[in-house]
Amino acid sequence: MVPADLITQSRVLSGCEVTSKKRLLETLAALLADGDGLLSSTHVFDRLLERERLGSTGLGQGIALPHARMHGIHAPVGAFVQLRDAVAFDAIDDRPVDLAFGLLVPDATDEQHLQLLATLASAFDDAAVREALRAATDDADVLAVFRERVLTA
């Protein structure tokens, strides 16, 4: 089950222009750290990059799911970026990424983390969900897609 407050409109960015995987991770890190006085975007970026070095979080079909465990948070936190132009991401299908969901989970989380990742990956595997996310024209539309099609998964 995906927590209803996993993602908020302040952690959604549609029509984003970045030119590289690194810039995409930096953008996600800034969104994930936004509004939380305990998190710095630099520290979040470092954690996402550290996880990425273990293997690409590019799921295929233009989707990436960068994620990391984070000390100091008590509940999962998500952020989403819809890119104007896809960027190379070393995804399993070698396709560039234009949709990315960043996820932070508490350091001590185990099974919950894995279940949440599996639920999100399953939702993103649905072509209708990907199409709706790509068709969204602004942050509010993106969030509505999440509420209707992903958070209810």
Side-chain angles (χ1 to χ4, degrees):
M1 182 72 183
V2 179
D5 62 349
L6 178 66
I7 188 165
T8 62
Q9 191 163 332
S10 67
R11 292 193 309 265
V12 171
L13 188 56
S14 60
C16 181
E17 293 186 41
V18 298
T19 56
S20 68
K21 179 178 181 176
K22 179 182 178 192
R23 295 287 179 245
L24 176 53
L25 292 174
E26 288 173 341
T27 301
L28 283 168
L31 289 172
L32 288 163
D34 183 49
D36 188 323
L38 299 175
L39 296 176
S40 78
S41 60
T42 302
H43 187 75
V44 172
F45 172 73
D46 289 345
R47 297 291 292 150
L48 292 174
L49 194 58
E50 184 179 304
R51 167 56 189 88
E52 206 61 36
R53 286 183 181 131
L54 297 175
S56 177
T57 57
L59 303 177
Q61 306 295 323
I63 299 279
L65 186 51
H67 56 280
R69 294 176 190 272
M70 185 67 55
H71 181 72
I73 64 170
H74 303 289
V77 178
F80 184 79
V81 175
Q82 173 207 61
L83 297 179
R84 183 163 294 159
D85 298 306
V87 297
F89 204 89
D90 302 318
I92 60 171
D93 63 357
D94 290 325
R95 288 180 53 186
V97 162
D98 65 335
L99 302 173
F101 190 92
L103 177 67
L104 299 179
V105 295
D107 214 13
T109 306
D110 287 320
E111 187 61 30
Q112 179 189 11
H113 176 196
L114 296 176
Q115 286 179 339
L116 187 52
L117 282 172
T119 299
L120 289 168
S122 177
F124 294 135
D125 195 41
D126 183 335
V129 170
R130 292 191 310 270
E131 183 178 316
L133 288 168
R134 289 183 173 115
T137 57
D138 60 27
D139 299 352
D141 285 348
V142 170
L143 188 59
V145 171
F146 268 94
R147 289 190 173 140
E148 295 166 13
R149 299 177 178 231
V150 178
L151 299 180
T152 58

